[in-house]
Amino acid sequence: MGDVQHDVGDNPYESIAKIDTSKKEVVLGHEIGSGAQCLKCGPACTGLELHFWRRICKICKCSPEEHAVTVQVQETVRKVGRLFDASKLEKYTIDRMTMEHTEMMAMPTDETANADSNAAQKITFEWIPQGATENLAKRYMEMIPMENQPIEGTSGAQHRNRQIQKQLPDHDQQPELCQQLNTEEAEKMADFVKDYKEKAVGIGQVQAVVPHSAPQRQMQNMSLDDKPQGQPGAPDVIVGSDSQPIKSSVGVGNEHASPARTAVGAETPKAGGDSKWKCCRCTKGMTGGDVAVFAERAGNDKCWHPGCFRCRTCNELLVDLIYFYKDNDIFCGRHYADLLKPRCAACDELIFSEKYTLAEELSWHIDHFCCWNCDTVLGGRRYVARESHPYCLPCYDKLFAKYCGTCNEKIEADSKRLNHENNFWHADSVCFKCSTCSVSLVGRSFLPKDQNIFCSVQCKRKYFNQ
């Protein structure tokens, strides 16, 4: 039995010494973003505290994406990258770019106050289109609204983070993150996810439109088979330029940012000229050199203006150009799934069971049709809906009941009431009556004055002349 041989100078224990034995912080799902400030409620919410199954904040009842939750880049890559783990499509990465600010770009708020008007300001995009050259990325960003530009330190970057959570819910991808699935339903969901990964999801590609180009030629750089390692579209990096944007990329499995690929050696399509291309959304024509977004799932004859590449349902720009294609249109992940499956209005999960509750034009897991305030199950019980949220009668009375202007007692949810402007009464002859002669005014015309009602002008005059 021979000894293990090492080269001279090698430390046989070097690999062991490199093992990271430091304690890793374990973060549970309900602890992610815990305490994050609510962007909608402000100081009224003391910080995000997730409800144990509703996926809302227990304090303010806003969704997690409406809180300033900080998500690490690698976590975003891992989360979104799962959409493409079984697909022939290009894998998801996050490319960043730092460049000089232009008048068509948002400026970080913390830099605006101290900005030197004589000095060129640098800005960093937290995401740019995958595979796009620097100039194409810049032109793309200038063609979307400033409030959507994902520039570090701006509301646009915060909006992108919120839309990643909103448009691409984790629980639409992973059965193990869902609370309501039995074994059979989990298998149905796994098949559902596999199907949309194979047939619907994709990443939009940014290219400059080539005038007079046939669709096949324009799209030749987007082929998935034996795809070259260059950038799609017409490369437009100026070799030898003194001021080049700085790019970095984070992809699935990349622990560190690496330089983005650059394609050199082709010419930018000349601006102007007639083109065979029209935006699928606004139907306006594209001229040569215009920046467009192409979606391979849609076929090689369709493109969109950068500002038109939006979900058909919610009209939001598709975050990181991730689209789901169905019926000749593009959707975000959330609303694509909603086309095919009912979604529980309480826990936000897709419903794969055969039986579920329909109420208030919404769908609910049977045991999730609960009071919005106390979580009492409402199946077979009376309830009152307010802003599409169901409330049990006791909670509704406690939170929203009005007080009768005559008897000063609470008008309960199951009692009839009458109102005029901000005044309320029990809808009976005891309370809804003339303030002077006490005749019942139920079903009759009346004369209002302040918090009083009268059956006639004479009674009104008599009341105020007393």
Side-chain angles (χ1 to χ4, degrees):
M1 191 173 195
D3 296 329
V4 178
Q5 300 295 318
H6 301 280
D7 293 336
V8 176
D10 282 356
N11 181 354
Y13 303 104
E14 182 178 1
S15 59
I16 298 177
K18 290 181 178 179
I19 295 177
D20 185 0
T21 59
S22 61
K23 184 178 180 180
K24 299 294 189 298
E25 182 179 359
V26 178
V27 180
L28 300 178
H30 271 54
E31 295 176 348
I32 297 176
S34 178
Q37 179 186 5
C38 182
L39 301 172
K40 184 177 179 181
C41 302
C45 175
T46 56
L48 176 62
E49 183 180 348
L50 277 179
H51 186 278
F52 64 101
W53 57 264
R54 282 190 187 273
R55 290 192 174 87
I56 59 170
C57 176
K58 290 196 296 186
I59 307 299
C60 65
K61 295 190 180 297
C62 292
S63 62
E65 56 265 20
E66 291 177 306
H67 290 73
V69 177
T70 301
V71 181
Q72 299 299 320
V73 174
Q74 284 289 350
E75 175 61 23
T76 300
V77 171
R78 183 191 65 80
K79 161 193 164 76
V80 180
R82 285 194 298 264
L83 290 169
F84 306 95
D85 57 8
S87 171
K88 294 181 179 179
L89 296 175
E90 185 172 350
K91 304 304 180 184
Y92 173 79
T93 61
I94 294 180
D95 296 331
R96 294 167 58 92
M97 183 175 73
T98 299
M99 61 172 295
E100 291 184 3
H101 176 264
T102 72
E103 62 180 8
M104 299 179 68
M105 296 177 183
M107 175 66 79
T109 53
D110 57 345
E111 294 182 10
T112 303
N114 301 320
D116 183 353
S117 58
N118 297 319
Q121 296 296 309
K122 296 287 186 179
I123 56 174
T124 298
F125 288 97
E126 294 187 351
W127 167 90
I128 61 172
Q130 281 188 217
T133 56
E134 286 87 349
N135 192 42
L136 273 179
K138 174 185 174 183
R139 292 166 64 195
Y140 168 86
M141 291 299 176
E142 291 178 337
M143 292 183 69
I144 64 175
M146 284 189 180
E147 59 267 24
N148 291 112
Q149 295 170 352
I151 298 172
E152 192 174 74
T154 67
S155 59
Q158 293 180 349
H159 182 73
R160 170 180 170 263
N161 289 333
R162 291 197 300 271
Q163 289 303 308
I164 288 176
Q165 308 304 316
K166 186 72 173 179
Q167 296 185 23
L168 306 170
D170 280 340
H171 48 275
D172 280 10
Q173 300 180 38
Q174 297 177 275
E176 59 270 23
L177 296 181
C178 298
Q179 310 164 59
Q180 287 295 303
L181 301 178
N182 58 32
T183 302
E184 181 182 357
E185 292 161 1
E187 292 175 353
K188 288 181 179 179
M189 181 175 178
D191 291 339
F192 174 77
V193 172
K194 179 181 178 181
D195 189 67
Y196 73 61
K197 285 183 178 181
E198 293 177 351
K199 301 177 181 178
V201 68
I203 303 176
Q205 299 291 308
V206 174
Q207 295 192 40
V209 171
V210 179
H212 310 295
S213 173
Q216 290 78 9
R217 182 183 176 190
Q218 172 74 46
M219 298 289 285
Q220 64 183 350
N221 288 314
M222 294 179 64
S223 172
L224 296 180
D225 299 325
D226 302 321
K227 186 168 183 177
Q229 293 302 305
Q231 308 288 6
D236 45 26
V237 175
I238 303 174
V239 180
S241 172
D242 293 332
S243 178
Q244 289 291 337
I246 302 172
K247 291 181 68 179
S248 62
S249 177
V250 178
V252 178
N254 292 346
E255 291 297 325
H256 305 284
S258 59
R261 301 187 301 269
T262 301
V264 181
E267 297 180 356
T268 303
K270 295 181 179 179
D274 295 330
S275 174
K276 299 180 180 180
W277 296 96
K278 289 185 178 180
C279 175
C280 287
R281 186 175 180 88
C282 70
T283 70
K284 293 181 180 179
M286 304 265 193
T287 58
D290 281 354
V291 174
V293 182
F294 294 82
E296 185 175 8
R297 297 284 191 189
N300 59 10
D301 59 344
K302 295 180 175 65
C303 65
W304 290 257
H305 290 112
C308 291
F309 200 65
R310 297 174 178 269
C311 171
R312 172 56 65 183
T313 301
C314 65
N315 200 38
E316 285 282 352
L317 281 179
L318 292 172
V319 65
D320 292 8
L321 298 179
I322 297 171
Y323 67 90
F324 289 71
Y325 192 71
K326 179 175 173 57
D327 298 333
N328 297 318
D329 223 327
I330 52 176
F331 300 86
C332 68
R334 170 178 293 275
H335 292 115
Y336 169 83
D338 288 350
L339 292 173
L340 302 174
K341 296 292 180 182
R343 185 183 296 276
C344 179
C347 72
D348 199 48
E349 294 177 14
L350 298 174
I351 300 175
F352 289 88
S353 58
E354 295 182 0
K355 295 181 179 180
Y356 57 93
T357 299
L358 283 172
E360 305 303 319
E361 299 183 353
L362 296 171
S363 302
W364 318 71
H365 288 110
I366 291 176
D367 55 351
H368 280 177
F369 186 60
C370 301
C371 173
W372 181 243
N373 184 59
C374 71
D375 291 335
T376 297
V377 177
L378 297 175
R381 302 180 62 177
R382 299 176 67 190
Y383 69 95
V384 179
R386 184 181 175 91
E387 296 180 354
S388 298
H389 299 306
Y391 292 84
C392 65
L393 299 189
C395 282
Y396 185 87
D397 289 340
K398 180 175 67 174
L399 297 172
F400 308 113
K402 304 298 182 181
Y403 285 84
C404 177
T406 299
C407 69
N408 294 321
E409 294 293 331
K410 184 181 293 185
I411 305 174
E412 296 181 344
D414 55 352
S415 300
K416 292 182 180 181
R417 76 182 188 191
L418 294 171
N419 71 285
H420 178 263
E421 295 180 347
N422 292 323
N423 301 309
F424 300 85
W425 298 268
H426 286 103
D428 56 38
S429 58
V430 175
C431 293
F432 196 68
K433 61 185 180 181
C434 177
S435 298
T436 300
C437 68
S438 299
V439 66
S440 174
L441 295 177
V442 177
R444 297 177 55 182
S445 58
F446 60 92
L447 298 174
K449 178 63 176 178
D450 298 329
Q451 296 180 349
N452 301 292
I453 52 176
F454 304 94
C455 63
S456 64
V457 175
Q458 291 77 11
C459 279
K460 180 178 178 182
R461 289 174 178 171
K462 183 177 180 180
Y463 182 88
F464 289 102
N465 289 332
Q466 291 178 357

